[in-house]
Amino acid sequence: MRKLFLLSLFFIVSLTILSGTRRRLFNDNWCFMLADISEAKNPGFDSRDWSRLTLPHDWSIREKFDRNAPAGNDGGYLPTGIGWYRKTFDISTSTSGRKMQLYFEGVYMNAEVYVNGHHAGGYPYGYSSFFVDVTPYVHKGRNTVAVKVDNSQQKNCRWYSGSGIYRNVWLIETGQTHVANHGVHIVTPDLNTAVISTSIVSDAVVTKEKPKADDDGMDGGDLKERMLEVTAYIEGVAVSENCSVKTGGEPVTVRHTIRLPDAKPWSPSSPNLYTARIVVKGNGRIIDEVEERFGFRTIAWSADSGLLLNGESILLNGGCVHHDNGILGAAAFDRAERYRVEQLKKAGFNALRTSHNVPSEAFLHACDEVGMLVIDEAFDGWRDKKNDYDYHVLFDRWWQSDVEAMVLRDRNHPSVFCWSIGNEVIERKKIEVVTTARKLASLCRRLDPTRPVTSALASWDNDWDIYDPLAAEHDITGYNYMIHKSESDHKRVPSRVMMQTESYPNDAWKNYCKAKDNTYIIGDFVWTAMDYIGESGIGRWYYEGDVEGEHYHRPLYPWHASYCGDIDLTGFRKPISHYRSMLWNENDEHLFIAVKEPDGYHGQIKTTLWGTWPTFESWNWPGHEGRNIDVEVYSHYPKVKLYQDNRLVGEKEVKETKAVFAVPYRPGVLRAEGISGGSVCETVTLATAGEPAAVRLTPDRSHIKADGQDLSFVVIEILDAEGRTVPVADNMLTVDVTGAAMLQALGNADIKDEDPYFDNIHRAWKGRALAVVRSNGRRGKSAVIVTADVKDGKQLRKTIKLTFE
């Protein structure tokens, strides 16, 4: 086992030249058709009747739910298939001596890229970023790129994948001599020092145009060595080094060391970021220039000390997340990724696991900026299949490329503290699993020797101990639902560092205690932090007479999503989120009232493995008058008092951060008081809401970029006359958007609601819904108008204005 190991971090962002010409966003003016049309690769193909769109784009979420969809329960009952994308673009200057690439951040899946009718490249795995060198195929003037996306082989994933070019695309243009792709690596060996390694390459550029001297002064066929000056700048401090490169030769790495005595460290509580600028000069002229953000931070881990961030102990209150953005599907809008991380941060999490695939760049940028530690995970499986067309069909040929795609792209993010090479691999009882893990882990360490490697291990049998050789290949061992084995494992292997990489929501208290009481357990990652589409019905509760069992037993349509998250599909925190946050966080919230649904109220309740008892922030239970309801008060205070309509129900000691009161229901007001030292420290109330009387619209932002990409998340609530959310309201809503915006998605958190997310009509659920409004590229004002149907044909209406600039 490895000894205590100091890990530094860095952070790589968008290879963006300051002039803005090195890398250009390539998302606009695409056309799309959901069909397999091989002629679409040809430049002269007529696609005028195709849909026009701006990326990112997930075609599956733009379709209706279908119980017969090939992806089935796993894929959220949404269609998949084959689609084509086309785009024309102009190049205004000669391409001779220039290198041009398309960079796809993610295409699900089996992408084939054609440029001016020529097959230029592609990539099979839908979660990896990839580059396509289009230099030989482009020319001055009009050019056409076509992309075939094939997600027809089902099932290929155990959760909703989405379909299409669902992440950003960039056009990268450089000279012959340039910084290599993902070629900057910034490491901080201590909190004041940055070591910057920059790989420089000089490509033998071949184009269709007549060769001539390129912008860096070298002919496309020149094989001479050339002297370069490479300078790194951080906070006004500059260090220069010289090197020589040869056209067509191996990349050359230049290292700079810069000390900043007053540097501020990066952490989840203080996510301080810095920018390094790297300038490459030849013959005194700038030939390439990139900027990278990074953070000063160190990590250490050991069984004796646990996890140390910047030399201080930290416990991971973690959550697993899939890559989708709820009602937006898999489309990785930059703002949607940031919004998701912000919601998770507000819920008290300080760590996330990207189960079970590499996330978007925007997601990791958001984690860097908001302050969130991340386990960056590559695969759900290796050689043995979980589904017929999953990663096992790609593993032997592509595992090395996909690990490189993850580590080289993400190794500079301060948020990423750990690489994960797999999840619950099926071949875990085969001896070759150890050599496979060794190969994967060794590659991660070679590309980035600063971070630990993990994978999520599980056993549904009684032979957990046989996995010791597999666990030994990791720096930190991931336990899926197996942390109850920690004490005996620690006695057997005292140097092992552990974290629970998946846990059941109902086990929040005991999992917290495990991490708090044992230094060799560094944290817990609940399944899951947020509801997601697919694995339909996981975490559900249901009533007697409904379809029995877990999501993996049989199809559960119309359930099309999970309900095991602390946060629902609309970004609303469930009561369990408030409870978990109080367990792990001392200084956030301290008192919360939740009410358990009475068994038999809607039917006899049955829960599932990942489910919790249906519990809501509601004191609306008409028809249950006079009968007891369990009221849960979550609290940091040693005692709580509960009042009903100003009459004391009782006072109880808080055990396991919770006190439970049986209260006979009647409409009115519940009031909880947090008691410490005999004094009331805090009060919260929960009141019965009346009939729907108004609509409230709350946008996360009112000023939005007019770039065709930016979003505003508008929470819709049905209110009573006193301004309280009506927790039983399910009114039909109609949303209209005018002006400089369009409606991108509309939905609620009911995972049985079959209404699609792409139209403008949807019901509220538990008094709430969410509308996502997207810039249409124009500057100006936009009106969001929401109409709610109420009794007797009447309607409630509310309008808000958003500014796009």
Side-chain angles (χ1 to χ4, degrees), residues 210-287:
K210 183 178 179 181
K212 69 174 184 177
D214 69 20
D215 289 348
D216 63 17
M218 298 179 70
D219 292 336
D222 196 339
L223 297 179
K224 297 178 182 178
E225 251 184 328
R226 186 176 186 192
M227 294 302 299
L228 302 174
E229 180 186 58
V230 184
T231 305
Y233 302 83
I234 302 174
E235 294 285 292
V237 179
V239 177
S240 295
E241 299 287 345
N242 294 325
C243 70
S244 63
V245 295
K246 182 179 292 186
T247 304
E250 292 296 314
V252 173
T253 299
V254 180
R255 289 182 175 84
H256 302 86
T257 299
I258 295 179
R259 284 190 56 81
L260 292 182
D262 298 324
K264 297 178 180 178
W266 183 97
S267 70
S269 59
S270 300
N272 299 300
L273 295 171
Y274 289 81
T275 300
R277 182 163 61 98
I278 296 92
V279 178
V280 182
K281 289 185 178 180
N283 297 327
R285 293 186 299 147
I286 295 177
I287 60 175

Side-chain angles (χ1 to χ4, degrees), residues 89-134:
F89 62 102
D90 291 322
I91 298 176
S92 59
T93 59
S94 171
T95 62
S96 177
R98 306 296 292 168
K99 183 177 182 69
M100 303 190 74
Q101 301 176 86
L102 287 174
Y103 174 49
F104 294 84
E105 292 188 14
V107 181
Y108 204 90
M109 59 180 299
N110 295 310
E112 297 292 340
V113 181
Y114 299 85
V115 177
N116 294 326
H118 301 277
H119 186 267
Y123 210 85
Y125 189 41
Y127 296 117
S128 288
S129 303
F130 62 96
F131 295 85
V132 176
D133 185 357
V134 300

Side-chain angles (χ1 to χ4, degrees), residues 335 699-714 737 740-742 772-784 800-805:
R335 177 56 198 164
D700 71 309
R701 295 176 306 150
S702 296
H703 287 75
I704 300 100
K705 294 178 183 178
D707 58 2
Q709 301 279 331
D710 208 1
L711 307 172
S712 181
F713 290 79
V714 182
V737 179
M742 57 185 176
V772 184
V773 178
R774 180 182 182 182
S775 161
N776 62 16
R778 301 199 303 267
R779 295 178 181 269
K781 299 286 186 180
S782 174
V784 180
I800 59 169
K801 295 293 183 67
L802 304 177
T803 301
F804 291 79
E805 53 194 14

